[in-house]
Amino acid sequence: QTSLDLKLGKKVNEGKTKEVYELPDMPGCVLMQSKDQITAGNAARKDRMEGKAAISNTTTSCVFQLLQEAGIKTAFVRKQSDTAFIAAHCEMIPIEWVCRRIATGSFLKRNPGVKEGYKFYPPKIEMFYKDDANNDPQWSEEQLIEAKFCFGGLTIGQTEVDIMARSTQAIFEILEKSWQPQNCTLVDLKIEFGVNILTKEIVLADVIDNDSWRLWPSGDRSQQKDKQSYRDLKEVTPEALQMVKRNFEWVAERVELLLKTKSQGRVVVLMGSPSDLSHCEKIKKACATFGIPCELRVTSAHKGPDETLRIKAEYEGDGIPTVFVAVAGRSNGLGPVMSGNTAYPVVNCPPLSADWGTQDVWSSLRLPSGLSCPTTLSPEGAAQFAAQIFGLNNHLVWAKLRSNMLNTWISLKQADKKLRECTL
């Protein structure tokens, strides 16, 4: 039994490549069971591919884990077996959201005159209504709003459409960034959303596997590793299916690497006095949310400059990329002395006192020439600044930053909707 001794309830749904079962022992959850089936053109072409269920399940589980750890709200709960995973039970919104970085495929047919390879900045969002009989027609936002859909008790209006569109772009950008270290271009992506029946919120649902995107190693279409290699077959022979399967396996192996990064980084907080510890602890806590290790040290550039420079040398010498945060109130010599003596980034984060705060901050802002240590007063801001530096080379940190931007935007959007509902 593939579900590894989970009691299965009734079958809620069956698609071309998966089945969905209720889980009586886990209310509010379902089992998503993949099939060894590959299809194209709304199942006009359909073949059994031995092992595809396990490949798809591995791919989806890794992608959802990556997105979930970044902070994207998804239906994914956990991988349950080789061919199945557990997800929150959602009422699905029957729209396929497509995000494109490069023009190819159906976009070229619908937009004659646009050459393959045209790049979209920002990526282009399109939506298609799930309707096999009419070959999934393209829809506009207006059509989706006018449909007045209601799923899981949530009516799909302008706010919900905006949230899904914004989320689609963020999810695409996170996955695009995650494939880059492997020299793979994410060309486009197709996703679906559902309304979680327990929380009533819109979450990324369904699956994201090798049927969901176009993936070109080295940005070269002739090396494509996605389902397009199956769609493009003139005829389906056992040899041709083996080639397609090898492509799917190639992706499933590499998708596990998306959860790792070669790039290291750390924040070292130098405080002028142990009385600043609580301020520094906030920086450390905020660093942890980005998955960045953070060390706290006590040193005074005024009272022990030799010791300050010795500590600095210790962190420069072991090859780990480091951002220094200087925490010194009153007269801040710590940040400027560090900045004048290291090529690593230094940021000032002075703790402000009620009595002298406004005067003290000048010692962080007014620097001798040749120094550059920016000043941020918020401990969380100092951690975020460090994360933005590391995010340039670390897709996992970047994904958290990108997800934070999205979630902040969504919470403002929802607060506005709630306020308008109260006042109407």
Side-chain angles (χ1 to χ4, degrees), residues 128-175:
F128 299 87
Y129 177 53
K130 291 187 65 154
D131 175 2
D132 282 356
N134 293 305
N135 279 326
D136 300 347
Q138 186 174 8
W139 266 24
S140 64
E141 278 195 6
E142 292 74 18
Q143 281 170 294
L144 180 47
I145 290 164
E146 282 299 309
K148 296 190 167 48
F149 284 134
C150 184
F151 297 102
L154 184 69
T155 304
I156 307 301
Q158 183 75 57
T159 299
E160 291 66 33
V161 172
D162 290 348
I163 286 172
M164 287 187 281
R166 275 280 172 140
S167 300
T168 298
Q169 183 178 336
I171 290 161
F172 174 84
E173 287 175 358
I174 288 170
L175 292 176

Side-chain angles (χ1 to χ4, degrees), residues 330 351-360:
R330 302 198 190 174
L352 294 189
S353 67
D355 312 338
W356 284 89
T358 44
Q359 287 90 331
D360 290 348

Side-chain angles (χ1 to χ4, degrees), residues 41-311:
N42 275 332
R45 170 178 281 184
K46 184 162 82 174
D47 288 283
R48 180 177 159 75
M49 187 197 284
E50 195 72 44
K52 176 167 181 288
I55 294 169
S56 292
N57 192 50
T58 295
T59 307
T60 284
S61 297
C62 287
V63 170
F64 272 93
Q65 195 185 327
L66 171 79
L67 292 168
Q68 198 136 331
E69 285 173 7
I72 298 286
K73 291 197 166 99
T74 80
F76 183 79
V77 176
R78 66 165 192 265
K79 187 175 176 180
Q80 176 62 19
S81 68
D82 286 349
T83 58
F85 68 92
I86 296 173
H89 191 176
C90 294
E91 280 197 24
M92 295 301 293
I93 299 163
I95 295 288
E96 286 185 344
W97 290 83
V98 174
C99 190
R100 304 178 185 276
R101 177 65 81 192
I102 297 172
T104 188
S106 71
F107 184 88
L108 302 178
K109 293 195 188 94
R110 287 177 284 114
N111 297 274
V114 179
K115 285 192 174 64
E116 179 163 65
Y118 182 95
K119 284 202 160 178
F120 303 108
Y121 303 109
K124 189 163 198 66
I125 309 267
E126 298 180 316
M127 58 180 107
F128 299 87
Y129 177 53
K130 291 187 65 154
D131 175 2
D132 282 356
N134 293 305
N135 279 326
D136 300 347
Q138 186 174 8
W139 266 24
S140 64
E141 278 195 6
E142 292 74 18
Q143 281 170 294
L144 180 47
I145 290 164
E146 282 299 309
K148 296 190 167 48
F149 284 134
C150 184
F151 297 102
L154 184 69
T155 304
I156 307 301
Q158 183 75 57
T159 299
E160 291 66 33
V161 172
D162 290 348
I163 286 172
M164 287 187 281
R166 275 280 172 140
S167 300
T168 298
Q169 183 178 336
I171 290 161
F172 174 84
E173 287 175 358
I174 288 170
L175 292 176
E176 175 184 49
K177 198 64 128 192
S178 300
W179 275 109
Q180 280 168 0
Q182 303 192 51
N183 194 19
C184 254
T185 300
L186 184 64
V187 174
D188 49 33
L189 175 70
K190 172 187 78 183
I191 57 177
E192 294 178 33
F193 294 93
V195 178
N196 182 322
I197 60 170
L198 293 182
T199 64
K200 307 286 182 232
E201 58 185 351
I202 291 178
V203 294
L204 174 67
D206 193 49
V207 299
I208 298 180
D209 59 15
N210 210 27
D211 299 7
S212 311
W213 53 32
R214 283 188 178 87
L215 210 51
W216 297 352
S218 310
D220 176 1
R221 186 191 159 169
S222 68
Q223 296 185 48
Q224 62 189 9
K225 295 293 181 190
D226 49 79
K227 190 169 87 167
Q228 193 63 36
S229 60
Y230 172 73
R231 293 189 196 105
D232 289 348
L233 294 177
K234 298 272 186 290
E235 59 170 324
V236 181
T237 61
E239 296 75 39
L241 264 184
Q242 272 309 109
M243 179 274 294
V244 173
K245 185 179 176 180
R246 278 197 300 275
N247 284 344
F248 274 64
E249 286 170 340
W250 187 94
V251 171
E253 278 164 26
R254 276 161 186 76
V255 81
E256 301 194 354
L257 300 175
L258 301 188
L259 297 167
K260 304 180 177 78
T261 172
K262 289 195 178 82
S263 148
Q264 280 182 297
R266 73 177 158 216
V267 169
V268 175
V269 179
L270 305 171
M271 63 191 100
S273 151
S275 62
D276 299 329
L277 185 61
S278 65
H279 184 80
C280 298
E281 291 281 7
K282 288 180 190 160
I283 299 173
K284 185 171 183 170
K285 188 177 170 194
C287 284
T289 64
F290 294 109
I292 299 170
C294 176
E295 291 185 35
L296 307 183
R297 300 294 296 261
V298 180
T299 182
S300 165
H302 287 122
K303 300 164 192 169
D306 52 339
E307 180 62 11
T308 299
L309 296 179
R310 192 197 62 73
I311 290 173

